[in-house]
């Protein structure tokens, strides 16, 4: 890649502060684009309020929650809780990105706008879950308390560039997870709501991906190393949720989010768009990072194929059992 404008030509030694400054122009441009294309929407319009009933506690007519009341599939319930609790930790995410990206200028405007948009996701999901009685509300609240009390510390808080690389993949991961949860939920109202959220997550991904593209232009070696580190060590932001391991395993089997989806629908689209594996003219460190990234992706694809085979065998066993 070539340096596209003289203002983007930078020092040979980059610091976070220098990179933030160098990317400010791009943030401004991407923020303008985002504000032009992002459509405003009302979370309350997606909630089936007339399905709602009082819960016991203070209301004499209150009705306790029962699984039978839920229109959502088992896998839908598991994924909805994981996805909502992930959105719930927004105060901690805001803290992390405001600390790294700052609260001034275009960076600050983005940080606040992004936070406001993410806030909508938690609002609409919780309202939907409670009005439709899709999940156990007491357990949801206990999990929220436990999860938020833990807080969230980004694995990439040491580096602005690593953080930009991480969120580019993570926003797409969130989009795919919401989208697949909607499809597997069995409730068209839920599907429509999650499709709306997924559209927002896609625009967030585009913002960070385009920023990452600019970072590749100004500091290719450093950006390649950041992308390698982030891809190799990637984990979802909700990893601290109570019972996350088990829920993640069920979401993998339920085809909401698994290795195949992570490789094909999250990592590859971003890497291909940025032509990461085709970038040449890198220094020794950048070359090594690119090579390691390639090796890692190859290994991940093999692992994903093994998972696909196990899943296919499981489905065949279940079909045979159902037919017997
Ligand atoms: Fe979100
Ligand atoms: Fe997002």
């Amino acid at each position: 890649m070539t340096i596209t404008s003289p203002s983007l030509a930078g020092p040979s030694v980059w610091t976070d502060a220098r990179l933030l400054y160098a990317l400010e122009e791009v943030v401004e441009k991407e923020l303008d684009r985002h504000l032009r294309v992002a459509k405003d929407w009302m979370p309350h319009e997606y909630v089936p309020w007339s399905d709602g009933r009082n819960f016991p506690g203070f209301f004499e007519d209150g009705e306790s929650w029962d699984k039978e009341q839920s229109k959502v599939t088992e896998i839908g319930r598991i994924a909805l809780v994981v996805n909502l609790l992930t959105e719930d930790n927004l105060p901690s995410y805001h803290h992390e990105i405001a600390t790294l990206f700052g609260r001034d200028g275009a960076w600050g405007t983005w940080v606040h706008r992004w936070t406001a948009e993410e806030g909508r996701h938690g609002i609409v999901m919780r309202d939907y879950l409670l009005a439709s009685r899709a999940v156990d509300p007491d357990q949801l609240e206990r999990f929220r308390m436990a999860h938020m009390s833990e807080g969230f510390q980004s694995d990439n808080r040491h580096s602005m560039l690593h953080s930009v690389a991480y969120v580019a993949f993570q926003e797409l991961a969130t989009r795919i997870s919401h989208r697949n949860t909607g499809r597997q939920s069995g409730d068209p109202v839920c599907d429509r709501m999650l499709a709306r959220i997924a559209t927002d997550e896609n625009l967030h991904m585009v913002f960070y991906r385009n920023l990452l593209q600019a970072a590749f232009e100004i500091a290719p070696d450093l950006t390649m190393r950041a992308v390698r580190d982030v891809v190799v060590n990637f984990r979802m932001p909700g990893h601290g949720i109570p019972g996350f391991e088990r829920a993640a395993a069920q979401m993998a089997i339920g085809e909401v989010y698994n290795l195949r989806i992570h490789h094909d629908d999250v990592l590859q689209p971003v890497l291909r768009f940025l032509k990461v594996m085709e970038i040449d003219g890198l220094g020794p460190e950048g070359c090594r990072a690119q090579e390691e990234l390639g090796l890692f992706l190859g290994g991940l694809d093999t692992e994903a194929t093994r998972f696909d085979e196990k899943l296919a065998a499981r489905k065949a066993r279940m079909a045979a059992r159902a037919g017997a």
Side-chain angles (χ1 to χ4, degrees):
M1 279 200 182
T2 51
I3 291 166
T4 53
S5 89
S7 65
L8 289 178
S12 52
V13 180
W14 285 101
T15 60
D16 262 12
R18 281 172 172 168
L19 270 167
L20 275 171
Y21 184 72
L23 287 172
E24 175 105 32
E25 224 175 274
V26 188
V27 172
E28 227 169 90
K29 194 181 98 209
E30 288 303 318
L31 177 65
D32 279 351
R33 190 194 48 75
H34 178 84
L35 295 175
R36 263 198 323 276
V37 296
K39 287 197 182 69
D40 213 15
W41 59 280
M42 296 295 145
H44 47 269
E45 291 176 3
Y46 287 79
V47 177
W49 295 106
S50 59
D51 290 355
R53 302 190 293 289
N54 291 342
F55 289 103
F58 292 103
F59 293 102
E60 278 182 22
D61 65 344
E63 196 188 331
S64 298
W65 183 81
D66 189 281
K67 211 157 118 178
E68 294 302 306
Q69 298 159 352
S70 177
K71 288 180 193 157
V72 170
T73 56
E74 176 81 26
I75 184 62
R77 281 199 295 278
I78 293 164
L80 276 159
V81 169
V82 168
N83 291 357
L84 174 54
L85 293 175
T86 303
E87 299 279 357
D88 274 339
N89 239 354
L90 184 58
S92 279
Y93 308 146
H94 174 82
H95 176 82
E96 294 293 271
I97 69 165
T99 306
L100 274 163
F101 299 160
R103 275 166 289 180
D104 305 317
W107 277 106
T109 308
W110 167 257
V111 166
H112 290 119
R113 166 78 193 201
W114 173 87
T115 305
E117 290 187 13
E118 292 293 353
R120 234 177 219 165
H121 302 166
I123 290 168
V124 72
M125 287 177 77
R126 175 160 285 98
D127 287 348
Y128 162 79
L129 291 178
L130 296 180
S132 71
R133 293 187 170 236
V135 300
D136 181 346
D138 294 357
Q139 191 197 49
L140 181 67
E141 179 60 8
R142 279 195 292 270
F143 279 5
R144 188 190 66 80
M145 285 299 292
H147 185 47
M148 288 190 75
S149 300
E150 288 275 303
F152 172 82
Q153 270 207 348
S154 164
D155 295 337
N156 300 294
R157 58 192 350 226
H158 62 287
S159 150
M160 189 278 278
L161 200 51
H162 281 72
S163 298
V164 169
Y166 175 73
V167 285
F169 295 108
Q170 178 268 321
E171 291 282 1
L172 185 52
T174 314
R175 175 204 181 189
I176 298 291
S177 183
H178 282 309
R179 198 70 199 87
N180 289 342
T181 301
R183 288 192 181 127
Q184 309 276 3
S185 71
D187 180 9
V189 175
C190 179
D191 190 26
R192 187 172 56 209
M193 176 213 27
L194 292 177
R196 190 62 199 76
I197 295 178
T199 304
D200 280 3
E201 308 294 19
N202 194 48
L203 287 180
H204 297 162
M205 178 278 288
V206 170
F207 178 91
Y208 288 122
R209 183 199 63 192
N210 292 355
L211 218 50
L212 197 55
Q213 185 171 39
F216 265 118
E217 289 177 12
I218 62 175
D221 285 86
L222 215 55
T223 309
M224 187 63 79
R225 286 159 60 192
V227 167
R228 173 205 54 198
D229 293 345
V230 160
V231 168
V232 168
N233 300 307
F234 189 90
R235 55 180 185 160
M236 291 294 257
H239 58 80
I241 288 169
F244 180 77
E245 299 287 316
R246 189 173 149 70
Q250 286 165 309
M251 285 163 74
I253 292 168
E255 294 176 273
V256 170
Y257 205 91
N258 57 35
L259 282 181
R260 174 54 61 209
I261 293 168
H262 183 60
H263 178 272
D264 290 8
D265 302 339
V266 175
L267 297 181
Q268 288 294 0
V270 174
L271 295 171
R272 264 200 308 266
F273 181 90
L274 299 173
K275 298 189 170 60
V276 170
M277 301 314 293
E278 292 153 45
I279 294 172
D280 52 20
L282 292 164
E285 292 264 1
C287 273
R288 194 180 330 138
Q290 192 180 37
E291 215 177 285
E292 286 169 2
L293 183 62
L295 282 171
F296 176 81
L297 289 168
L300 187 68
D301 192 27
T302 309
E303 244 185 284
T305 302
R306 248 180 257 142
F307 175 82
D308 290 342
E309 287 163 3
K310 270 196 224 158
L311 190 60
R314 188 178 191 275
K315 280 184 186 168
R317 267 199 318 274
M318 288 182 51
R321 215 176 294 161

